[in-house]
C-alpha cells in the first residue's frame, strides 16, 4: 500500500452513522475504510491484528466508555490516531478525550469536506478539531471567568491535600492541626469557591490552575 494511503476504522453503534461516514469519505481516494465496529471489544480484537492509521471513535458505546477506550487504544497501538466523533459538546469531555490520547475531536454535524480536512491534518501530526469544536474551545467556561478566590497560605496547603484525596484526619495529622481546624478551613474553601462539594471545588481550582 502506498505511503499516502490512509487506513481508517469507524467505531460507532449506530449503523446509519457508519453509513453516513462511509458516504462522506467515498470521494477521498487516499482513505481506505478497513472496518466498521459497533462495540469497543470488537474493535480492540481487530486492532490487535491489523495496524491502523486512524480510528473515528464515538464516545457513547454499548460496552465501554469511549474516553476509557481511547486510552486503551493508545496503549495497544500508539501509532494509531484517535479522532473522537461525538454529539457531546461539553468542554470537559473534549479535554478528557485529549488527555487520554485523542488527536482530535469532531462533532457529528461535521461536513464531508471538514472531515477529510481533519483526517489529513491528523496524518500530518497535527491536532484536528471540527469548526464547531473550535468555537467551543475558544469560548471560556463560566468557571474560567470566575474571579480567582483569594486563599491564605494555609488554605492553599489544605486545598492541595484535599485534591490529593486526603481525608480531614489525614490532613490534620500531616499539618499537626486539630480535625476541627481542618474542617473550618474546608468550609471556608467551599464558601470562597461558592460550591457545595469538594468535587466541584477541585474542578474549578484545576481550571483556574490553583492545583
Amino acid at each position: 500500500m502506498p505511503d499516502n494511503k490512509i487506513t481508517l476504522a469507524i467505531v460507532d453503534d449506530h449503523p446509519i452513522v457508519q453509513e453516513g461516514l462511509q458516504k462522506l469519505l467515498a470521494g477521498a481516494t487516499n482513505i481506505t475504510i478497513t472496518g466498521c465496529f459497533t462495540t469497543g471489544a470488537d474493535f480492540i480484537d481487530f486492532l490487535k491484528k491489523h495496524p491502523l492509521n486512524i480510528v473515528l471513535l464515538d464516545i457513547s458505546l454499548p460496552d465501554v466508555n469511549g474516553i476509557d477506550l481511547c486510552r486503551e487504544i493508545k496503549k495497544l497501538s500508539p501509532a494509531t490516531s484517535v479522532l473522537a466523533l461525538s454529539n457531546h459538546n461539553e468542554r470537559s469531555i473534549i479535554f478528557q478525550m485529549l488527555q487520554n490520547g485523542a488527536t482530535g475531536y469532531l462533532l457529528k454535524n461535521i461536513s464531508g469536506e471538514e472531515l477529510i480536512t481533519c483526517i489529513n491534518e491528523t496524518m500530518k501530526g497535527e491536532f484536528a478539531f471540527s469548526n464547531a469544536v473550535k468555537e467551543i474551545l475558544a469560548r471560556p467556561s463560566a468557571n474560567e471567568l470566575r474571579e480567582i478566590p483569594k486563599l491564605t497560605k494555609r488554605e492553599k496547603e489544605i486545598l492541595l491535600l484535599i485534591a490529593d484525596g486526603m481525608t480531614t484526619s489525614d490532613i490534620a495529622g500531616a499539618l499537626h492541626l486539630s480535625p476541627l481546624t481542618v474542617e473550618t478551613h474546608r468550609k471556608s474553601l467551599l464558601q470562597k469557591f461558592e460550591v457545595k462539594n469538594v468535587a466541584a471545588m477541585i474542578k474549578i481550582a484545576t481550571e483556574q490552575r490553583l492545583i
Side-chain angles (χ1 to χ4, degrees), residues 42-52 76-77:
D42 284 347
F43 174 66
I44 289 295
D45 285 344
F46 174 83
L47 187 60
K48 285 175 182 172
K49 298 166 193 157
H50 304 88
L52 194 64
L76 177 63
S77 178

Side-chain angles (χ1 to χ4, degrees), residues 148-160:
I148 296 175
K150 291 179 174 60
L151 306 181
T152 65
K153 188 179 174 186
R154 180 64 85 190
E155 283 170 344
K156 283 182 185 172
E157 211 170 10
I158 289 172
L159 175 63
L160 288 168

Side-chain angles (χ1 to χ4, degrees), residues 2 5-6 16 21 35-36 89 94 120 127 136 145 153 161 165-166 208-209:
K5 282 282 184 185
I6 299 168
I16 195 162
L21 289 169
C36 292
N89 60 0
I94 296 170
N120 287 325
F127 279 91
I136 293 163
L145 291 173
K153 188 179 174 186
L161 296 176
M166 290 176 73
Q208 294 183 333
R209 293 185 170 86

